[in-house]
């Protein structure tokens, strides 16, 4: 080979430029490669300056310039790109991008890194690539043939567009089993892989949360992460804006068969709303990816001591060219018996005791339909409608004993009928502006929530003047409108920028109608009746910047939220107005230690808030019975939390973290004794609460076929309730085991323990559960049967103690926690693979606060 023309070219370039050039003799397909370090000027500008006298023609291909001479081509590349990133797109045989494909980077059979392709099929690796060294990419995705492609760096042209073929043989099977761990720890969150685990069949959405490591579900349906901060629950990026109790009812309508994973984000970045002082729980539903029809059927029967519970569900997805259709419906019936007792000791030595038998008869119905259309390869529009209709009937029979200045006994009958419903419609538009992930998203939605609620109460005592016969009707309706836009710009030099705006408007109409039965007719009691109108406008904006330097990454963000609200108690002639602006900074730093093992250390900070629910702001007085009353509080203000986290991911998936949280104007429900031996429950703002704690997770493989996941957490919480201080240290431990007896059956067991903890001035006793289950798959794993026993030793119960101002309240309740269930789940498909479009909503925090 005659090198003289090339050597002359080098000399000519070095004589006329201040750039450093690296010479290489390597010839690939009769092409000479020259690497140029261009620090201050683009390569194209250099060539235009130094090469015109050589009669060379050059053109830009990807991030390289090809200079073509008279004898043979000369490839001139920017040397700065040799140790940075490679990228490309994975498409099917029709040229459509394949989302969520697993892409592994290998060298000599050793895995260097792994990524998952974006929804448009785009992937990118950042690695210390060495010139002339051979690498390989291995691609796999459900429904497609595995594919391997080798390349010699920096010749990456063949990997910029990778076409993989469908696997025709997999169309008969829609279940894919894997060895994914139950819990995966990432820098800013940890993930519970429900699909394919023991949690993935025979449970509803609330039960999945109850059995998930690190999530605490209270007896009242409240959901916490580790400590005592409230969380925001999202489903497929849509925040559920309901009260804690009604959110629990809604989650019971979800099927575990439809849940893919649960993401726990304790310190969310600025692109999320600031609501949820404890962070975010994001439930991700499964996404079907086949052309044609994909669906699942499930059913469950549960025996709860003497009462049954059962449910059925159907999910269908269909694609026709650029049109995507999806829908699901679930229905359930639940009957159960509770027993409860309350004992109250008053400062004047009076004593109250009651025993209650409660019968629950609840029915639930939920359906969701959606459609999405690809306007072009980079544009899509979608619409979704959701509807829930629940019927909850509870009947309470109570024996009452009161000893004091006027001792008496009595019987009380209470009937509580609730009919909550919610319907919402969401329209969204998305535009992808490049293959790196940049784009624009616009979301508009409307939500209407209604609830009718009736409580009938009648008591008969040995002292007739204490007899009561009244009813409370508490209807409400909420309308919520929101519009948001988000813009993301991703740069090739590992920098990304996000910004967005959002506006949300809420109107709510609450009413409390109290009527007494006097002389054979119902008569209005104006002192306990009230109508309350509420309006709130939220204006929000955020911006964040993320940068990566090798194994070190950092992200900073700032969010601003302005609240304009007013309330009007028509009956009580009471009005109030709020107008405040809050800033919520966040910062995240992560340092990878070993990319192959996934080990890393991280430090996070965020400021969050928790707004009071719409119902809590209503200045009403709701009388439950002769001794218990619930009050609203129009003076409630948001609580603000500063949270700092330090954590590490290390050996074999083990992880640990420490955190500290300081909350000002803490919102908590206080039990307060008042005149007439009545206990008033009311949410109030308290001075502050401090919380610090730790969590530790250890996945262990005991032997082949036997895996466990073990978690331990602890925290210390202190309240300052206007001078009345409470401090408590609480521990949580859970051990889950899964044993696979090949060809026979799969066994699973779990033991869950939580030590005593506090909420405001109430101390809650320890909880202990032991669960046992077995599963069997049939019909090429598309059909699964599961038998399950929860609370095997019947140890779970609710036991609370409240002490305040000389009054002591002891509460005990036993639900049918030990029950036996049989579940069946069947998955089917017909057609090729496709991606079920995600329909998003923007009314994030407001829906959670509706109270239905």
């Amino acid at each position: 080979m005659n090198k003289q023309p090339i050597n002359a070219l080098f000399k000519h370039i070095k004589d006329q430029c201040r750039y450093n050039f690296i010479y290489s003799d390597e010839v690939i397909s009769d092409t000479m490669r020259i690497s140029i370090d261009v620090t201050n000027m683009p390569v194209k500008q250099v060539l235009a300056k130094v090469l015109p006298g050589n009669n060379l023609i050059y053109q830009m291909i990807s991030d390289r310039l090809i200079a073509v001479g008279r004898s043979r081509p000369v490839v001139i590349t920017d040397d700065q790109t040799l140790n940075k990133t490679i990228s490309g797109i994975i498409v099917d045989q029709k040229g459509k991008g394949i989302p969520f494909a697993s892409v592994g980077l290998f060298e000599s059979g050793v895995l260097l890194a792994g990524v998952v392709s974006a929804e448009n099929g785009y992937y990118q690796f950042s690695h210390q690539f060495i010139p002339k060294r051979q690498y390989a990419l291995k691609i796999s995705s459900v429904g497609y043939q595995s594919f391997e492609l080798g390349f010699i760096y920096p010749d990456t042209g063949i990997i910029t567009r990778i076409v993989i073929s469908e696997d025709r043989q997999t169309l008969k099977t829609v279940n894919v089993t894997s060895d994914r761990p139950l819990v995966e720890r990432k820098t800013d969150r940890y993930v519970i892989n429900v699909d394919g685990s023991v949690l993935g069949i025979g449970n509803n959405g609330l039960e999945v949360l109850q059995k998930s490591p690190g999530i605490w579900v209270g007896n009242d349906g409240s959901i916490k992460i580790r400590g005592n901060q409230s969380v925001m629950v999202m489903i497929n990026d849509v925040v559920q804006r309901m009260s804690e109790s009604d959110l629990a009812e809604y989650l019971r309508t979800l099927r575990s068969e439809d849940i893919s994973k649960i993401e726990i984000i304790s310190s969310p970045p600025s692109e999320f709303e600031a609501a949820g002082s404890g962070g975010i729980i994001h439930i991700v539903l499964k996404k079907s990816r086949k052309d044609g029809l994909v669906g699942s059927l499930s059913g469950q029967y549960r025996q709860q001591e003497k009462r049954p519970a059962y449910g059925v569900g159907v999910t269908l997805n269909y694609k026709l060219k650029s049109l995507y259709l999806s829908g699901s419906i679930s229905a359930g019936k639940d009957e159960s018996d509770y027993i409860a007792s309350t004992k109250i000791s008053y400062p004047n030595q009076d004593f109250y005791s009651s025993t209650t038998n409660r019968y629950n008869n609840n029915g639930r119905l939920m359906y969701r339909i959606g459609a999405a259309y690809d306007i072009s390869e980079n544009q899509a529009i979608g619409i979704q409608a959701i509807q829930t209709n629940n019927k909850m009937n509870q009947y309470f029979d109570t024996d009452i004993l009161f000893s004091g200045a006027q001792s008496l006994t009595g019987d009380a009958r209470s009937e509580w009928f609730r009919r909550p419903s919610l319907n919402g419609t969401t329209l969204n538009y998305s535009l992808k502006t490049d293959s790196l992930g940049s784009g624009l998203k616009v979301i508009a939605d409307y939500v209407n929530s209604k609830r009718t609620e009736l409580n009938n109460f009648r008591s008969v005592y040995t002292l007739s003047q204490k007899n009561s016969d009244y009813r409370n009707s508490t209807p409400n309706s909420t309308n919520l409108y929101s519009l948001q836009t988000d813009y993301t710009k991703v740069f090739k030099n590992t920098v990304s920028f996000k910004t967005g705006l959002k506006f949300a408007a809420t109107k709510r109409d609450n009413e409390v109608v109290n009527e007494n039965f006097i002389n054979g007719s119902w008569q209005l009691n104006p002192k306990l009746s009230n109508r309350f109108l509420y309006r709130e406008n939220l204006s929000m904006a955020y911006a964040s910047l993320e940068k990566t330097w090798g194994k070190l990454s950092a992200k900073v963000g700032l969010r601003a939220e302005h609240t304009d609200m007013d309330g009007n108690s028509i009956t009580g002639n009471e009005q109030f107005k709020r107008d405040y602006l809050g800033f919520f900074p966040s910062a995240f730093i992560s340092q990878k230690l070993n990319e192959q093992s996934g080990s890393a250390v991280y430090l996070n900070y965020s400021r969050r808030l928790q707004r009071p629910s719409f119902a809590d702001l209503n200045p009403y007085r709701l009388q439950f019975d002769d001794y218990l009353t619930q009050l609203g509080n129009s003076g409630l203000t948001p609580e603000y939390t500063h949270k700092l986290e330090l954590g590490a991911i290390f050996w074999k998936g083990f992880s640990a973290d420490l955190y500290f949280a300081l909350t000002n104007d803490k919102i908590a429900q206080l039990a307060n004794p008042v005149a007439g031996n009545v206990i008033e429950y009311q949410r109030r703002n308290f001075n502050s609460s401090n919380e610090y704690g730790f969590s530790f997770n250890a996945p262990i493989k005991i032997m082949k076929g036997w895996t466990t996941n073990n978690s331990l957490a602890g925290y210390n919480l202190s309240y300052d309730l206007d001078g009345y201080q409470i401090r408590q240290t609480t521990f949580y431990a859970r051990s889950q085991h899964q044993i696979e007896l090949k060809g026979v059956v799969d066994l699973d067991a779990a033991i869950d323990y939580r030590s005593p903890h506090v909420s405001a001035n109430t101390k809650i006793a320890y909880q202990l559960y032991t669960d046992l289950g077995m599963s069997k798959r049939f019909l090429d794993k598309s059909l699964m049967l599961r038998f399950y026993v929860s609370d095997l030793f019947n140890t779970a119960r609710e036991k609370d103690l409240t002490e305040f101002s000389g009054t002591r309240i002891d509460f005990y309740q036993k639900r049918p926690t030990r029950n036996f269930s049989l579940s069946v789940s069947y998955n089917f498909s017909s057609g090729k693979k496709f991606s079920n479009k995600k329909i998003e909503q923007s009314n994030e925090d407001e829906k959670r606060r509706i109270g239905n």
Side-chain angles (χ1 to χ4, degrees), residues 227-229 659 661 663 666 688-693 714-720 725-730 757-760:
N228 202 49
Q229 272 92 37
Y659 75 95
T663 302
K666 176 70 178 179
S688 64
S689 72
N690 297 322
E691 184 179 320
Y692 58 86
Y715 71 95
N716 180 274
L717 173 66
S718 62
Y719 279 106
D720 184 357
Q725 296 184 341
I726 296 178
R727 180 181 295 273
Q728 178 74 49
T729 299
T730 302
H757 63 286
V758 296
S759 178

Side-chain angles (χ1 to χ4, degrees), residues 147-219:
F147 188 80
E148 182 174 351
L149 183 65
F151 65 97
I152 298 177
Y153 193 85
D155 186 11
T156 60
I158 61 175
I159 66 172
T160 57
R161 182 180 174 86
I162 300 175
V163 181
I164 62 176
S165 302
E166 296 176 1
D167 187 354
R168 301 292 181 181
Q169 294 182 353
T170 64
L171 294 179
K172 297 179 181 179
T173 304
V174 297
N175 283 14
V176 179
T177 59
S178 66
D179 294 327
R180 288 186 306 169
L182 177 66
V183 179
E184 290 182 283
R185 195 59 166 92
K186 299 183 179 180
T187 301
D188 63 341
R189 69 194 66 187
Y190 68 92
V191 180
I192 300 170
N193 294 306
V194 177
D195 188 22
S197 76
V198 296
L199 300 177
I201 184 171
N203 296 299
N204 60 50
L206 187 66
E207 290 170 335
V208 171
L209 293 181
Q210 288 174 327
K211 299 171 183 177
S212 296
I215 301 177
W216 298 0
V217 179
N219 302 325

Side-chain angles (χ1 to χ4, degrees), residues 1-11 54 71-72 74:
M1 179 182 70
N2 184 5
K3 300 179 181 179
Q4 186 174 359
I6 301 300
N7 289 330
L9 174 61
F10 256 104
K11 186 176 184 302
N54 291 277
S71 56
R72 65 176 182 267
V74 179

Side-chain angles (χ1 to χ4, degrees), residues 223-280:
I223 303 171
K224 313 289 184 184
I225 299 175
R226 291 182 302 202
N228 202 49
Q229 272 92 37
S230 299
V231 300
M232 186 167 65
V233 175
M234 303 172 61
I235 300 177
N236 275 7
D237 295 325
V238 180
V239 175
Q240 308 304 306
R241 305 179 187 281
M242 309 175 192
S243 68
E244 291 178 336
S245 59
D246 291 308
L247 175 60
E249 288 297 329
Y250 174 67
L251 291 173
R252 289 188 178 101
T253 66
L254 294 179
R255 302 179 306 144
S256 60
E257 289 82 0
D258 292 334
I259 300 176
S260 173
K261 61 183 178 180
I262 300 173
E263 297 178 330
I264 314 299
I265 312 171
S266 57
S267 294
S270 61
E271 50 263 37
F272 293 95
E273 283 191 36
S277 55
I280 292 174

